[in-house]
Amino acid sequence: MTQHAILDPATHRDLRVRTDPSSELGDAVMACLAVPSEFRRLSCDYPIVYRNDPDSGSFTALVLFGFEAGENLYLTDGRWDASVKPLAHAIQPFLIGRSKDSDAPAQVHIDLAHPRVLSGADGVRLFDDKGAPSPYLEQMIEMLGALDEGYREGRAFFEALERYDLLEPFSMDVTLTGGEVNRLVGYHLVNEEKMQLLEPGALAELHAAGHLLPIYMAMASLGHLGKLVDRKNKQAHG
Amino acid sequence: MERHVDHIVVVGGGTAGWLAAALIAARAQGEAGPTLQVTVIEAPDVPTIGVGEGTWPTMRSTLAAIGIDEADFLRECDGAFKQGSRFDGWVSGEAGDSYLHPFTPPPAVAPAALVKLWSESGQPFADLMTAQTKICAAGLAPRQREMPPYNGALNYAYHLDAAKFAGMLSRHATQKLGVRHISDLVVEVEGGENDHIAAVHTRANGRIAGDLFIDCSGHAALLIGDHLKVPWIDRSDVVFNDRALAVQLPVDEASAIASQTVSTAHEGGWIWDIGLPRRRGIGCVYSSQFTEDARAEAILRDYLALAAGDAAQDLPLRQLRFAPGHRTEFWRGNCIALGMASGFIEPLEASAIVMIELGLGALLEDFPADAAAIAPRAARFNALFRYRWERIIEFLKLHYVLSRRSEPYWQAHQHRVNWPERLEDLLTLWRHRPPSVSDFPQSQEIFSAESHQYVLYGMGFAPPQDGQLPIGGLSAARQQLAQIAQKTRHFASALPDNRHYLSALQPTPPSQPAALQVTQ
């Protein structure tokens, strides 16, 4: 259940947001949306994969935190064991609100039903006594802007991947040391051979549009799949 | 006569006695159990004095060393956070006369550069040097619940209920650390050669022998005073206050809890005000040379009326008389005095409990393994603590000599005849440069150069004029101050309210109302 509202200093002056990592606060998720502009940052910590959205038929990118629904292997003992978080996760409980007139500036929305939102005195304030945004809210607004921009710019990136037919379905069996098998299905990866076979003109086009860097960053990030299995083994067997 | 030090006898309970017992016993937990025995002989039914209700930040590491959980401590001792001391009315006594001595020091850059930037800023010194001033003013806690215990965003200490604190230490020491508790009266001290104490005799438990005796018997000073006859040096010529009237003001469960001790000057002394979750501890400190008891009571009643209206008019007051001063020695033979048995002074900068911690620190740092090794340590210990008492007295005096108040009591503080010589020299020096580490060269100075800066510039002492040499480090200092301004905004939005933090430590009723009411 969500309860979205346009963030407003008058109504939400006394709201506070808990910022500590916790599964009770919505961190128990196995994946999160990632935009191409943050691939470089995210590739240091997470595997980045692609997924076809059956509703729109278009591709998006995700970082994986685990292998099954509700599993976040980066979350241990109240700590998020990575140096960065994907924007789409870090901005919770905030959202980007946009009116039907898509040229109008985006607004900051908040999900009042999100478990991070409190009216007590724990957590970080959104506004100071004068109603000015707190440094935390300023940072959130900046991240929302970056996410919004990254998302809109990302469309061209995913269109290019499709145009050159670079994506292929990917599935992975994860065999734990205990013998249990988890299977990752429904994701796509960039096919490296197809990349190799690209014409110089196509490469130049991808390069000029700034798409080459995120393509290779996402490829390099796949090394974290193995580490994710290690995390899973560690969690399963202490 | 080679003999291990394996029985330590603490004479007296209270904060000093139980801190000593708990800290020594905690240090003596070897892999195969305790390596020595600690016994506390506490006279039954002697109430603790309960003036030392403010600690220093050192208490955090002390409690951690004893093995006490921070949340348990706050809950059981009615504890609250103390982030410094605020001094109201000390400079002129006029409205708005107030400054803070916060626990968080200024940034670690050239003090001369900081003082220069402050003098150009037109802001109070402490406001510029640390986020703590604004956090205190807003009544916020120095830490978030998610932070590891005993860690904070800002440096902090505690306010506590001294009787409950002694009780908690006693329970922990006896139940967890194997300390033996004998509730009995010491009736005789059995001495040996060279000021050696062999045993104490108690009324019901007979003779109790020990290798090392710690005198925590307070004013009575049964070992260091009564038995060993170590002289007391009266310091009332420098610090005049020798009386206090104390009262406990119950507070509403929803009321704000102050983040700092508030010390409000009056015509002949000052009033302490320490906020705990269930009460405020308030006391009027004065000098019998200048103020009659009845006048002191009237001053305190006026303060209470302002604080709590008619409700406070019938609260019982308790008088405390003391001779400000200290022993000539704190360690003689195999006896060490801690707490009021070793010295006592007005609680202006909460030096009482920290001096106990420092005494124990010095003892444990160089703990004598053999009985023959006890006495040779005395000279060094005594020199260190004589030095510390001098620094405390100078620092307290600094609060008085910088005042411009006109009452006779305050005017008397202006007479240079009773200024410590070193203080007078330092004040001359500080006209030309800020207090620096070179003025306080010991490794564990009781009051740092930074503390002196806070009091000096808080009280309006003129910043030094530019000298012949240009001031270095200005750009680094500017950067640090900009960061502090940024931090201040950040902390103000992230730190919880004191009352809320402390209330949440109490056991919660099973069903809580929803954290957020959303109206459709």
Side-chain angles (χ1 to χ4, degrees), chain B residues 206-263:
Chain B
R207 181 177 187 271
I208 296 163
D211 303 305
L212 187 65
F213 287 83
I214 303 189
D215 187 350
C216 298
S217 60
H219 271 317
L222 294 174
L223 309 185
I224 196 90
D226 249 21
H227 175 72
L228 292 169
K229 308 273 186 271
V230 173
W232 180 272
I233 306 178
D234 186 295
R235 304 304 296 266
S236 62
D237 55 330
V238 184
V239 277
F240 310 151
N241 295 334
D242 59 358
R243 302 266 165 98
L245 277 177
V247 61
Q248 296 187 351
L249 174 66
V251 296
D252 180 31
E253 265 181 31
S255 62
I257 302 174
S259 299
Q260 72 281 308
T261 302
V262 179
S263 305

Short mmCIF file of all heavy atoms in Angstrom, two decimals, chain B residues 206-263:
data_model
loop_
_atom_site.label_atom_id
_atom_site.label_comp_id
_atom_site.label_asym_id
_atom_site.label_seq_id
_atom_site.Cartn_x
_atom_site.Cartn_y
_atom_site.Cartn_z
N GLY B 206 34.67 -7.73 61.93
CA GLY B 206 36.01 -7.91 62.46
C GLY B 206 37.10 -7.29 61.60
O GLY B 206 36.90 -6.28 60.92
N ARG B 207 38.26 -7.95 61.60
CA ARG B 207 39.46 -7.43 60.96
C ARG B 207 39.44 -7.76 59.47
O ARG B 207 39.21 -8.90 59.09
CB ARG B 207 40.68 -8.06 61.63
CG ARG B 207 42.01 -7.59 61.10
CD ARG B 207 43.15 -8.24 61.90
NE ARG B 207 44.46 -7.70 61.53
CZ ARG B 207 45.23 -8.19 60.56
NH1 ARG B 207 44.83 -9.23 59.87
NH2 ARG B 207 46.41 -7.65 60.31
N ILE B 208 39.68 -6.75 58.65
CA ILE B 208 39.77 -6.99 57.21
C ILE B 208 41.13 -6.50 56.73
O ILE B 208 41.40 -5.30 56.71
CB ILE B 208 38.62 -6.30 56.46
CG1 ILE B 208 37.28 -6.90 56.90
CG2 ILE B 208 38.79 -6.43 54.95
CD1 ILE B 208 36.08 -6.08 56.56
N ALA B 209 41.99 -7.45 56.39
CA ALA B 209 43.34 -7.10 55.96
C ALA B 209 43.35 -6.83 54.46
O ALA B 209 42.47 -7.29 53.74
CB ALA B 209 44.30 -8.24 56.29
N GLY B 210 44.31 -6.07 53.99
CA GLY B 210 44.40 -5.80 52.56
C GLY B 210 45.81 -5.39 52.18
O GLY B 210 46.63 -5.06 53.05
N ASP B 211 46.09 -5.42 50.87
CA ASP B 211 47.41 -5.00 50.39
C ASP B 211 47.40 -3.53 49.99
O ASP B 211 48.40 -2.84 50.11
CB ASP B 211 47.80 -5.85 49.18
CG ASP B 211 47.79 -7.32 49.53
OD1 ASP B 211 48.49 -7.68 50.49
OD2 ASP B 211 47.07 -8.09 48.86
N LEU B 212 46.24 -3.10 49.46
CA LEU B 212 46.12 -1.72 49.00
C LEU B 212 44.77 -1.22 49.51
O LEU B 212 43.76 -1.91 49.37
CB LEU B 212 46.18 -1.69 47.47
CG LEU B 212 46.23 -0.34 46.79
CD1 LEU B 212 47.53 0.38 47.13
CD2 LEU B 212 46.13 -0.52 45.27
N PHE B 213 44.78 -0.03 50.11
CA PHE B 213 43.54 0.53 50.64
C PHE B 213 43.17 1.78 49.85
O PHE B 213 44.02 2.62 49.57
CB PHE B 213 43.69 0.87 52.12
CG PHE B 213 43.74 -0.35 52.99
CD1 PHE B 213 44.94 -1.06 53.16
CD2 PHE B 213 42.59 -0.83 53.61
CE1 PHE B 213 44.98 -2.20 53.93
CE2 PHE B 213 42.62 -1.98 54.39
CZ PHE B 213 43.83 -2.67 54.56
N ILE B 214 41.90 1.86 49.48
CA ILE B 214 41.44 3.05 48.77
C ILE B 214 40.43 3.76 49.65
O ILE B 214 39.41 3.19 50.03
CB ILE B 214 40.83 2.69 47.40
CG1 ILE B 214 41.91 1.93 46.60
CG2 ILE B 214 40.40 3.94 46.67
CD1 ILE B 214 41.56 1.67 45.17
N ASP B 215 40.78 5.00 50.02
CA ASP B 215 39.93 5.75 50.93
C ASP B 215 38.88 6.53 50.13
O ASP B 215 39.19 7.54 49.51
CB ASP B 215 40.79 6.69 51.77
CG ASP B 215 39.96 7.38 52.86
OD1 ASP B 215 38.72 7.26 52.83
OD2 ASP B 215 40.57 8.02 53.73
N CYS B 216 37.65 6.03 50.14
CA CYS B 216 36.55 6.71 49.47
C CYS B 216 35.50 7.07 50.51
O CYS B 216 34.30 7.05 50.24
CB CYS B 216 35.94 5.81 48.39
SG CYS B 216 37.12 5.40 47.09
N SER B 217 35.96 7.39 51.71
CA SER B 217 35.03 7.61 52.82
C SER B 217 34.52 9.04 52.87
O SER B 217 33.92 9.45 53.86
CB SER B 217 35.69 7.22 54.13
OG SER B 217 36.86 8.01 54.34
N GLY B 218 34.74 9.79 51.80
CA GLY B 218 34.17 11.14 51.73
C GLY B 218 34.79 12.09 52.74
O GLY B 218 35.97 11.98 53.09
N HIS B 219 33.96 13.02 53.25
CA HIS B 219 34.41 14.00 54.24
C HIS B 219 35.13 13.37 55.42
O HIS B 219 36.09 13.94 55.95
CB HIS B 219 33.19 14.74 54.81
CG HIS B 219 32.84 15.95 54.02
ND1 HIS B 219 33.79 16.82 53.56
CD2 HIS B 219 31.63 16.45 53.65
CE1 HIS B 219 33.17 17.80 52.91
NE2 HIS B 219 31.87 17.59 52.94
N ALA B 220 34.68 12.20 55.84
CA ALA B 220 35.24 11.56 57.03
C ALA B 220 36.73 11.26 56.83
O ALA B 220 37.52 11.36 57.77
CB ALA B 220 34.48 10.27 57.33
N ALA B 221 37.13 10.92 55.62
CA ALA B 221 38.52 10.63 55.29
C ALA B 221 39.17 9.73 56.34
O ALA B 221 40.20 10.06 56.92
CB ALA B 221 39.32 11.93 55.11
N LEU B 222 38.55 8.58 56.56
CA LEU B 222 38.95 7.71 57.66
C LEU B 222 40.41 7.29 57.61
O LEU B 222 41.09 7.22 58.63
CB LEU B 222 38.07 6.45 57.66
CG LEU B 222 36.59 6.68 57.96
CD1 LEU B 222 35.79 5.40 57.78
CD2 LEU B 222 36.41 7.24 59.37
N LEU B 223 40.92 7.02 56.40
CA LEU B 223 42.29 6.53 56.29
C LEU B 223 43.27 7.68 56.07
O LEU B 223 44.20 7.88 56.84
CB LEU B 223 42.41 5.51 55.15
CG LEU B 223 41.39 4.36 55.13
CD1 LEU B 223 41.72 3.38 54.00
CD2 LEU B 223 41.39 3.62 56.46
N ILE B 224 43.03 8.44 54.99
CA ILE B 224 44.02 9.46 54.60
C ILE B 224 44.06 10.61 55.61
O ILE B 224 45.11 11.19 55.86
CB ILE B 224 43.71 9.98 53.17
CG1 ILE B 224 44.92 10.73 52.58
CG2 ILE B 224 42.51 10.91 53.15
CD1 ILE B 224 45.85 9.85 51.82
N GLY B 225 42.92 10.91 56.23
CA GLY B 225 42.85 12.03 57.16
C GLY B 225 42.98 11.57 58.60
O GLY B 225 43.99 11.80 59.26
N ASP B 226 41.94 10.87 59.07
CA ASP B 226 41.88 10.42 60.46
C ASP B 226 43.11 9.63 60.89
O ASP B 226 43.71 9.89 61.91
CB ASP B 226 40.65 9.50 60.62
CG ASP B 226 39.59 10.16 61.47
OD1 ASP B 226 39.63 11.41 61.57
OD2 ASP B 226 38.73 9.43 62.00
N HIS B 227 43.45 8.66 60.06
CA HIS B 227 44.54 7.76 60.45
C HIS B 227 45.92 8.29 60.03
O HIS B 227 46.81 8.42 60.86
CB HIS B 227 44.31 6.38 59.85
CG HIS B 227 45.44 5.43 60.12
ND1 HIS B 227 45.67 4.90 61.38
CD2 HIS B 227 46.42 4.94 59.31
CE1 HIS B 227 46.75 4.12 61.32
NE2 HIS B 227 47.22 4.13 60.08
N LEU B 228 46.07 8.61 58.75
CA LEU B 228 47.41 8.99 58.27
C LEU B 228 47.73 10.47 58.51
O LEU B 228 48.89 10.88 58.38
CB LEU B 228 47.53 8.67 56.77
CG LEU B 228 47.53 7.17 56.42
CD1 LEU B 228 47.38 6.98 54.92
CD2 LEU B 228 48.82 6.50 56.91
N LYS B 229 46.72 11.24 58.85
CA LYS B 229 46.91 12.67 59.18
C LYS B 229 47.57 13.46 58.04
O LYS B 229 48.38 14.35 58.26
CB LYS B 229 47.78 12.83 60.44
CG LYS B 229 47.30 12.04 61.66
CD LYS B 229 46.28 12.84 62.45
CE LYS B 229 45.88 12.15 63.74
NZ LYS B 229 44.72 11.23 63.58
N VAL B 230 47.21 13.11 56.81
CA VAL B 230 47.71 13.91 55.68
C VAL B 230 46.98 15.25 55.71
O VAL B 230 45.75 15.29 55.76
CB VAL B 230 47.44 13.19 54.34
CG1 VAL B 230 47.80 14.10 53.17
CG2 VAL B 230 48.22 11.89 54.26
N PRO B 231 47.71 16.36 55.72
CA PRO B 231 47.07 17.68 55.89
C PRO B 231 46.16 18.05 54.71
O PRO B 231 46.34 17.57 53.59
CB PRO B 231 48.25 18.66 55.98
CG PRO B 231 49.46 17.82 56.19
CD PRO B 231 49.18 16.47 55.65
N TRP B 232 45.24 18.92 54.97
CA TRP B 232 44.28 19.47 54.00
C TRP B 232 44.70 20.89 53.68
O TRP B 232 44.99 21.67 54.59
CB TRP B 232 42.88 19.45 54.62
CG TRP B 232 41.79 19.98 53.74
CD1 TRP B 232 41.38 21.27 53.63
CD2 TRP B 232 40.95 19.22 52.87
NE1 TRP B 232 40.34 21.37 52.74
CE2 TRP B 232 40.05 20.12 52.25
CE3 TRP B 232 40.88 17.86 52.54
CZ2 TRP B 232 39.08 19.72 51.33
CZ3 TRP B 232 39.91 17.46 51.63
CH2 TRP B 232 39.03 18.38 51.02
N ILE B 233 44.79 21.23 52.43
CA ILE B 233 45.13 22.60 52.06
C ILE B 233 43.84 23.34 51.74
O ILE B 233 43.09 22.93 50.85
CB ILE B 233 46.05 22.64 50.82
CG1 ILE B 233 47.29 21.78 51.05
CG2 ILE B 233 46.43 24.08 50.48
CD1 ILE B 233 48.22 21.75 49.84
N ASP B 234 43.58 24.38 52.48
CA ASP B 234 42.37 25.15 52.26
C ASP B 234 42.60 26.12 51.10
O ASP B 234 43.57 26.86 51.10
CB ASP B 234 42.03 25.92 53.54
CG ASP B 234 40.69 26.61 53.41
OD1 ASP B 234 40.57 27.53 52.56
OD2 ASP B 234 39.76 26.25 54.15
N ARG B 235 41.72 26.10 50.10
CA ARG B 235 41.90 26.98 48.95
C ARG B 235 40.82 28.06 48.86
O ARG B 235 40.61 28.67 47.82
CB ARG B 235 41.89 26.15 47.64
CG ARG B 235 42.93 25.04 47.60
CD ARG B 235 44.35 25.51 47.83
NE ARG B 235 44.84 26.41 46.81
CZ ARG B 235 45.54 26.04 45.74
NH1 ARG B 235 45.82 24.79 45.54
NH2 ARG B 235 45.96 26.94 44.87
N SER B 236 40.14 28.28 49.97
CA SER B 236 39.04 29.25 49.95
C SER B 236 39.54 30.68 49.73
O SER B 236 38.75 31.58 49.48
CB SER B 236 38.20 29.15 51.22
OG SER B 236 39.01 29.45 52.34
N ASP B 237 40.87 30.87 49.82
CA ASP B 237 41.40 32.20 49.50
C ASP B 237 41.27 32.49 48.00
O ASP B 237 41.18 33.64 47.59
CB ASP B 237 42.87 32.32 49.95
CG ASP B 237 43.74 31.22 49.35
OD1 ASP B 237 43.20 30.11 49.09
OD2 ASP B 237 44.93 31.45 49.10
N VAL B 238 41.26 31.44 47.18
CA VAL B 238 41.17 31.63 45.73
C VAL B 238 39.73 31.41 45.24
O VAL B 238 39.17 32.23 44.52
CB VAL B 238 42.10 30.65 44.97
CG1 VAL B 238 42.05 30.93 43.47
CG2 VAL B 238 43.52 30.76 45.50
N VAL B 239 39.16 30.28 45.63
CA VAL B 239 37.78 29.98 45.26
C VAL B 239 36.95 30.03 46.54
O VAL B 239 37.13 29.22 47.43
CB VAL B 239 37.67 28.60 44.57
CG1 VAL B 239 38.01 28.73 43.10
CG2 VAL B 239 38.59 27.59 45.21
N PHE B 240 36.07 31.03 46.62
CA PHE B 240 35.46 31.38 47.91
C PHE B 240 34.33 30.47 48.35
O PHE B 240 34.01 30.40 49.52
CB PHE B 240 34.90 32.82 47.84
CG PHE B 240 35.87 33.85 47.31
CD1 PHE B 240 35.40 34.98 46.64
CD2 PHE B 240 37.24 33.71 47.49
CE1 PHE B 240 36.27 35.93 46.15
CE2 PHE B 240 38.12 34.67 47.00
CZ PHE B 240 37.64 35.78 46.33
N ASN B 241 33.69 29.80 47.39
CA ASN B 241 32.44 29.11 47.73
C ASN B 241 32.67 27.93 48.67
O ASN B 241 33.51 27.08 48.41
CB ASN B 241 31.73 28.64 46.46
CG ASN B 241 31.28 29.81 45.61
OD1 ASN B 241 31.05 30.90 46.15
ND2 ASN B 241 31.18 29.61 44.32
N ASP B 242 31.87 27.90 49.77
CA ASP B 242 32.00 26.82 50.74
C ASP B 242 30.65 26.29 51.21
O ASP B 242 30.57 25.56 52.18
CB ASP B 242 32.84 27.30 51.94
CG ASP B 242 32.23 28.50 52.64
OD1 ASP B 242 31.18 28.99 52.17
OD2 ASP B 242 32.80 28.95 53.65
N ARG B 243 29.58 26.70 50.53
CA ARG B 243 28.25 26.21 50.91
C ARG B 243 27.45 25.92 49.64
O ARG B 243 27.67 26.55 48.61
CB ARG B 243 27.46 27.28 51.70
CG ARG B 243 28.11 27.76 52.97
CD ARG B 243 27.60 26.96 54.18
NE ARG B 243 28.48 27.20 55.33
CZ ARG B 243 28.21 28.07 56.30
NH1 ARG B 243 27.11 28.79 56.24
NH2 ARG B 243 29.04 28.21 57.31
N ALA B 244 26.51 25.01 49.78
CA ALA B 244 25.56 24.81 48.68
C ALA B 244 24.22 24.42 49.28
O ALA B 244 24.15 23.75 50.32
CB ALA B 244 26.05 23.71 47.75
N LEU B 245 23.16 24.90 48.66
CA LEU B 245 21.79 24.49 49.02
C LEU B 245 21.24 23.74 47.83
O LEU B 245 21.13 24.29 46.74
CB LEU B 245 20.93 25.72 49.27
CG LEU B 245 20.98 26.40 50.62
CD1 LEU B 245 20.10 27.64 50.60
CD2 LEU B 245 20.50 25.44 51.71
N ALA B 246 20.91 22.47 48.04
CA ALA B 246 20.50 21.65 46.90
C ALA B 246 19.02 21.29 47.00
O ALA B 246 18.47 21.16 48.09
CB ALA B 246 21.34 20.38 46.85
N VAL B 247 18.38 21.14 45.84
CA VAL B 247 16.97 20.82 45.79
C VAL B 247 16.72 19.97 44.55
O VAL B 247 17.47 20.04 43.57
CB VAL B 247 16.12 22.12 45.77
CG1 VAL B 247 16.42 22.96 44.55
CG2 VAL B 247 14.63 21.84 45.85
N GLN B 248 15.68 19.14 44.63
CA GLN B 248 15.31 18.35 43.46
C GLN B 248 13.93 18.77 43.00
O GLN B 248 12.97 18.71 43.77
CB GLN B 248 15.34 16.85 43.80
CG GLN B 248 16.75 16.41 44.15
CD GLN B 248 16.88 14.91 44.34
OE1 GLN B 248 15.89 14.20 44.37
NE2 GLN B 248 18.11 14.45 44.46
N LEU B 249 13.85 19.19 41.76
CA LEU B 249 12.60 19.69 41.20
C LEU B 249 12.02 18.64 40.25
O LEU B 249 12.59 18.39 39.18
CB LEU B 249 12.88 21.00 40.45
CG LEU B 249 11.73 21.62 39.66
CD1 LEU B 249 10.62 22.10 40.59
CD2 LEU B 249 12.24 22.79 38.82
N PRO B 250 10.91 17.99 40.64
CA PRO B 250 10.32 16.99 39.74
C PRO B 250 9.87 17.65 38.44
O PRO B 250 9.44 18.80 38.45
CB PRO B 250 9.11 16.46 40.52
CG PRO B 250 9.30 16.93 41.92
CD PRO B 250 10.12 18.17 41.86
N VAL B 251 10.00 16.93 37.33
CA VAL B 251 9.58 17.51 36.06
C VAL B 251 8.54 16.63 35.38
O VAL B 251 8.44 15.43 35.64
CB VAL B 251 10.77 17.74 35.08
CG1 VAL B 251 11.74 18.75 35.65
CG2 VAL B 251 11.46 16.43 34.73
N ASP B 252 7.78 17.27 34.52
CA ASP B 252 6.76 16.63 33.73
C ASP B 252 7.40 15.66 32.73
O ASP B 252 8.47 15.93 32.20
CB ASP B 252 6.01 17.75 32.99
CG ASP B 252 4.91 17.22 32.12
OD1 ASP B 252 4.34 16.18 32.50
OD2 ASP B 252 4.64 17.84 31.09
N GLU B 253 6.71 14.55 32.48
CA GLU B 253 7.29 13.53 31.61
C GLU B 253 7.46 13.95 30.16
O GLU B 253 8.16 13.29 29.41
CB GLU B 253 6.44 12.26 31.67
CG GLU B 253 6.97 11.27 32.68
CD GLU B 253 6.15 10.01 32.73
OE1 GLU B 253 5.59 9.62 31.68
OE2 GLU B 253 6.06 9.43 33.82
N ALA B 254 6.79 15.03 29.79
CA ALA B 254 6.91 15.46 28.40
C ALA B 254 7.82 16.68 28.26
O ALA B 254 8.07 17.14 27.15
CB ALA B 254 5.54 15.78 27.84
N SER B 255 8.33 17.17 29.40
CA SER B 255 9.11 18.41 29.34
C SER B 255 10.44 18.20 28.62
O SER B 255 10.96 17.09 28.56
CB SER B 255 9.38 18.92 30.75
OG SER B 255 10.14 17.95 31.45
N ALA B 256 10.97 19.29 28.09
CA ALA B 256 12.26 19.23 27.41
C ALA B 256 13.37 18.93 28.43
O ALA B 256 13.27 19.33 29.59
CB ALA B 256 12.53 20.55 26.71
N ILE B 257 14.39 18.22 27.98
CA ILE B 257 15.54 17.94 28.85
C ILE B 257 16.73 18.71 28.29
O ILE B 257 17.10 18.53 27.13
CB ILE B 257 15.86 16.43 28.88
CG1 ILE B 257 14.64 15.65 29.37
CG2 ILE B 257 17.07 16.16 29.76
CD1 ILE B 257 14.80 14.14 29.30
N ALA B 258 17.33 19.55 29.13
CA ALA B 258 18.43 20.39 28.67
C ALA B 258 19.62 19.53 28.26
O ALA B 258 19.89 18.50 28.87
CB ALA B 258 18.84 21.37 29.76
N SER B 259 20.33 19.97 27.24
CA SER B 259 21.49 19.23 26.74
C SER B 259 22.77 19.61 27.44
O SER B 259 23.83 19.08 27.13
CB SER B 259 21.67 19.50 25.24
OG SER B 259 20.55 19.09 24.52
N GLN B 260 22.70 20.58 28.34
CA GLN B 260 23.92 21.02 29.02
C GLN B 260 23.59 21.40 30.46
O GLN B 260 22.44 21.65 30.78
CB GLN B 260 24.55 22.21 28.29
CG GLN B 260 23.80 23.53 28.44
CD GLN B 260 22.59 23.63 27.55
OE1 GLN B 260 22.68 23.42 26.36
NE2 GLN B 260 21.43 23.92 28.12
N THR B 261 24.61 21.40 31.31
CA THR B 261 24.44 21.96 32.64
C THR B 261 24.27 23.46 32.48
O THR B 261 24.98 24.07 31.70
CB THR B 261 25.69 21.70 33.51
OG1 THR B 261 25.92 20.30 33.58
CG2 THR B 261 25.52 22.24 34.90
N VAL B 262 23.30 24.03 33.21
CA VAL B 262 23.15 25.48 33.16
C VAL B 262 23.64 26.03 34.49
O VAL B 262 23.16 25.64 35.55
CB VAL B 262 21.69 25.89 32.90
CG1 VAL B 262 21.56 27.40 32.88
CG2 VAL B 262 21.20 25.28 31.59
N SER B 263 24.63 26.92 34.44
CA SER B 263 25.16 27.55 35.64
C SER B 263 24.83 29.03 35.58
O SER B 263 25.35 29.75 34.74
CB SER B 263 26.69 27.38 35.70
OG SER B 263 27.02 26.01 35.62
#
